[in-house]
Amino acid sequence: MAKRKQEYGNDSISALKGADRVRKRPAVIFGSDGLEGCEHAVFEILSNAIDEAREGHGDLIIVTRFEDKSIQVEDFGRGCPVDWNEKEQKYNWELVFCELYAGGKYNNNDGDNYEYSLGLNGLGSCATQYASEYFDATIYRDGSKYPLHFEKGENIGGLHKEPTDRGRKTGSTFRWKPDLEVFTDIDIPVEYYLDVMKRQAVVNSGVTFRFRNQTGGKFETTDFRYDNGILDYVTELAGENPLTQPVFWQTERKGRDREDKPEYKVKLSVSFCFSNRVSIVEHYHNSSWLEHGGSPEKA
């Protein structure tokens, strides 16, 4: 006998809460519950490190791929605030790692913490933490070290304040393992890291992107750095004896989408040369490579 369907009534509506908002619907946040979504989570954490470097806080970002498929991103920025937030009546570490749509990048037009930023939606750190088997954050700021540990979206043990061997140096280290209960595949290939980190080095001049890949218990290290950004990249692509030497232009403008909308800032950087041996055109938007010839769908 066929099972009778439950009536669609007032008790049928429910709301996902806490980590379930990401763990049960990862594709809503990351665009996929497969490998692409898992890769997107990595880029969310990497983007935060890049934003710090763009603002002049640190010039080295280290990404490590471990054999157990866990990932670590280390930066030498300011270290995110973790103490009590009087305005929100919560600890900042709770806002950053346990609240979607919480962050310090909403007022970038007012010359606040980030003038130009990859991530503006306040999702990355929290969503990645929620989607992980475990997520360890170590924040260095104010002359102290603040470790945090999460398991499957739940904080274990609260915030600790400990002495640090880094002196007054600041920064953040995040290590996590994507959860196979959330993603169908977490084995991110080496090629993904190499491609993303090289392209980020191209559009973030003067920042060293160091990739460490663990194989057989040892770490193979690859560095990417372009001191003059896209100008150095174009020079590299053109090789010897281009028809013209590479040139570089950069400008900034302000505008608005409609008269009653707030003003925003745009920065445009262009480098090119002419060559009879190489034909390459690449577009980047907000540091993301537009692999489909300028379409923003992948940005």
Side-chain angles (χ1 to χ4, degrees):
M1 183 176 179
K3 186 177 180 180
R4 184 178 178 182
K5 291 184 178 180
Q6 183 178 350
E7 183 182 351
Y8 183 59
N10 289 322
D11 294 334
S12 302
I13 306 298
S14 62
L16 293 177
K17 299 178 179 65
D20 282 347
R21 291 173 291 175
V22 175
R23 294 181 64 83
K24 290 191 175 182
R25 294 294 184 270
V28 174
I29 301 295
F30 300 116
S32 165
D33 65 352
L35 191 61
E36 283 191 357
C38 191
E39 292 171 344
H40 186 86
V42 174
F43 190 72
E44 289 285 353
I45 302 299
L46 179 60
S47 294
N48 291 334
I50 293 170
D51 284 338
E52 281 293 282
R54 280 185 166 193
E55 293 295 311
H57 306 289
D59 62 355
L60 172 64
I61 296 171
I62 305 170
V63 178
T64 304
R65 176 184 184 267
F66 292 95
E67 286 182 312
D68 67 353
K69 300 180 180 60
S70 64
I71 304 135
Q72 180 173 288
V73 175
E74 181 178 7
D75 69 57
F76 299 87
R78 291 166 291 183
C80 68
V82 293
D83 287 329
W84 182 254
N85 186 314
E86 188 65 30
K87 181 177 66 176
E88 299 292 340
Q89 290 295 296
K90 284 190 175 184
Y91 281 95
N92 278 312
W93 70 263
E94 294 179 283
L95 294 171
V96 171
F97 298 109
C98 304
E99 289 285 346
L100 297 173
Y101 301 103
K105 304 176 185 178
Y106 291 119
N107 298 317
N108 59 316
N109 284 342
D110 298 330
D112 198 11
N113 292 312
Y114 297 90
E115 186 174 18
Y116 295 97
S117 172
L118 274 71
L120 296 174
N121 52 28
L123 293 172
S125 298
C126 175
T128 301
Q129 185 276 112
Y130 277 161
S132 300
E133 182 179 322
Y134 68 84
F135 187 100
D136 289 318
T138 305
I139 312 299
Y140 298 89
R141 61 179 288 131
D142 307 324
S144 298
K145 177 173 71 173
Y146 300 87
L148 288 158
H149 178 67
F150 301 87
E151 295 179 7
K152 296 186 181 295
E154 298 294 329
N155 174 251
I156 308 296
L159 178 71
H160 300 279
K161 182 177 181 180
E162 301 175 359
T164 173
D165 56 2
R166 297 177 79 172
R168 300 298 300 181
K169 291 183 179 179
T170 59
S172 303
T173 301
F174 305 109
R175 181 171 177 177
W176 74 98
K177 186 174 182 180
D179 199 338
L180 273 171
E181 293 179 5
V182 177
F183 300 107
T184 59
D185 189 356
I186 64 170
D187 191 8
I188 301 175
V190 170
E191 291 72 24
Y192 169 80
Y193 293 97
L194 294 175
D195 181 65
V196 166
M197 294 179 73
K198 179 174 181 177
R199 294 192 179 281
Q200 290 307 310
V202 167
V203 291
N204 292 286
S205 59
V207 179
T208 298
F209 289 79
R210 179 166 297 158
F211 175 57
R212 301 168 68 239
N213 182 45
Q214 187 180 38
T215 54
K218 297 181 180 180
F219 291 93
E220 300 173 350
T221 301
T222 306
D223 281 4
F224 300 99
R225 181 186 177 98
Y226 291 90
D227 285 323
N228 298 300
I230 59 175
L231 177 59
D232 286 351
Y233 181 53
V234 169
T235 302
E236 175 184 284
L237 292 175
E240 297 181 0
N241 303 317
L243 293 176
T244 63
Q245 292 301 309
V247 296
F248 174 78
W249 294 327
Q250 183 167 280
T251 187
E252 297 182 31
R253 292 290 186 271
K254 294 182 178 180
R256 61 184 79 231
D257 292 325
R258 207 171 61 197
E259 282 300 317
D260 60 331
K261 291 289 185 179
E263 193 176 62
Y264 57 83
K265 290 175 280 191
V266 175
K267 180 186 289 184
L268 176 67
S269 303
V270 178
S271 183
F272 73 92
C273 72
F274 291 99
S275 169
N276 59 1
R277 296 184 299 107
V278 180
S279 179
I280 296 175
V281 177
E282 291 185 356
H283 298 85
Y284 294 80
H285 172 262
N286 208 18
S287 199
S288 294
W289 175 46
L290 304 181
E291 58 185 294
H292 300 295
S295 165
E297 293 177 0
K298 290 287 186 178

